[in-house]
Amino acid sequence: MSEPTMSGAPRRRTWQRDAVRDALGERDGFVSAQALHAGLREAGSPIGLATVYRALADLAADGAADHLQVEGEALYRACGSSGHHHHLICRSCGKTVEIGAAEVEAWAKAVAAEHGFREAEHVVDVFGLCSDC
Amino acid sequence: MSEPTMSGAPRRRTWQRDAVRDALGERDGFVSAQALHAGLREAGSPIGLATVYRALADLAADGAADHLQVEGEALYRACGSSGHHHHLICRSCGKTVEIGAAEVEAWAKAVAAEHGFREAEHVVDVFGLCSDC
DNA sequence: TTGATATTGAGAATGAATATCAATACTATC
DNA sequence: GATAGTATTGATATTCATTCTCAATATCAA
């Protein structure tokens, strides 16, 4: 029998994974794997690109990071709140605000049910220009 | 002064563009450029891949097609309603329902304003399993 | 019909993301 | 603390979607 609540990820702790987690946490908004890797290298870290991709994928799988696709690129961000939430993102500087939206959750569920759809998930993100841009 | 209502696109009519528009219209859900091209070739059309990409980009720019990014792939769909709308998409068979959502529009605008964001746009799509899947 | 030019398409080029695989580092165990 | 077993790393090759190039061609207005 499988145990859904058990984290099936026996992850070893390495300075590389810590570096990626830390670097991601220091960023305000969403970053690409490429950009994060470039930043780490600039800061003197010899970490490899493939490792950054893997670390980010793991963080996302563990629920420690959010990710979204923009213009054919995957962007990641350290997760503040642990539960389900959405984002308000500045399309100029990348500044991001995490937002909860009970109304939207309810709406999505209702719309799905209305059309006979089950197991509904949704993608909801708001893009704009923040007060500093 | 610019004229936002004027179509700044002096497009020439070619059988290739018509073929892409028609093929897209015949599909139920979202399709990738690659898939659409493969379908056209299978149907005997000698149309080139680059042309399909260009035609789809033009349709999207002209507001005749919607597009969204899934797993690093751009997907297109012929637009039913001309105005702003969202989608309810079956993640199994791709069946898509266009949905309007005044409540969500209002919510997005309110959330953006609340945090000092201007020129807010939003991405709202619901994925689920339709009644046939 | 003709001329100006937008469009096409085969293939090259780009760029993000993943696979490969030997060398290395982490963890539990003794 | 030493050691074996194995997950992880990283330089590089590879895949794959998308865009670019540019000569040949088709479209549209005159």
Side-chain angles (χ1 to χ4, degrees):
Chain A
M1 306 303 139
S2 65
E3 288 193 316
T5 54
M6 176 194 163
S7 75
R11 300 249 147 84
R12 289 185 180 176
R13 175 161 222 187
T14 64
W15 64 262
Q16 288 95 332
R17 279 210 238 274
D18 286 345
V20 170
R21 169 174 259 133
D22 292 349
L24 195 63
E26 282 169 10
R27 300 271 186 155
D28 268 357
F30 281 84
V31 219
S32 69
Q34 301 274 354
L36 202 63
H37 176 248
L40 283 162
R41 294 298 278 245
E42 249 181 65
S45 171
I47 194 170
L49 177 60
T51 303
V52 173
Y53 271 101
R54 282 185 288 236
L56 287 174
D58 287 348
L59 286 173
D62 293 350
D66 279 324
H67 64 124
L68 53 83
Q69 305 255 343
V70 172
E71 292 171 33
E73 241 190 350
L75 302 182
Y76 294 85
R77 178 167 188 275
C79 247
S81 48
S82 56
H84 178 74
H85 60 267
H86 302 290
H87 299 101
L88 174 57
I89 305 161
C90 176
R91 65 169 150 266
S92 173
C93 71
K95 178 179 161 187
T96 300
V97 181
E98 295 194 354
I99 49 184
E103 328 159 39
V104 178
E105 311 301 320
W107 167 83
K109 200 165 291 184
V111 165
E114 186 183 328
H115 292 275
F117 279 61
R118 293 162 284 131
E119 298 179 31
E121 296 179 2
H122 53 272
V123 175
V124 174
D125 288 301
V126 183
F127 295 85
L129 290 174
C130 77
S131 49
D132 298 333
C133 291
Chain B
M1 301 303 140
S2 65
E3 287 193 317
T5 53
M6 175 194 165
S7 73
R11 301 248 146 83
R12 287 186 182 175
R13 176 162 222 183
T14 63
W15 64 262
Q16 287 96 332
R17 280 209 238 272
D18 285 345
V20 170
R21 167 173 262 134
D22 292 349
L24 196 63
E26 281 168 13
R27 300 273 187 156
D28 267 359
F30 282 85
V31 219
S32 69
Q34 300 275 354
L36 201 63
H37 176 248
L40 283 162
R41 295 297 279 243
E42 249 179 67
S45 171
I47 193 170
L49 177 59
T51 302
V52 174
Y53 271 101
R54 282 185 288 236
L56 287 174
D58 287 348
L59 287 173
D62 294 349
D66 280 325
H67 62 126
L68 54 82
Q69 305 257 340
V70 171
E71 293 173 33
E73 242 189 350
L75 303 182
Y76 294 83
R77 177 167 188 276
C79 245
S81 48
S82 57
H84 178 74
H85 59 267
H86 301 289
H87 300 100
L88 173 56
I89 306 161
C90 176
R91 64 168 151 269
S92 174
C93 70
K95 177 179 163 189
T96 300
V97 181
E98 296 194 354
I99 49 183
E103 330 159 38
V104 176
E105 311 301 321
W107 168 83
K109 200 164 290 186
V111 164
E114 186 183 328
H115 291 275
F117 279 62
R118 291 163 285 132
E119 298 178 31
E121 295 180 3
H122 53 272
V123 176
V124 173
D125 288 302
V126 182
F127 295 86
L129 291 174
C130 77
S131 50
D132 299 331
C133 292

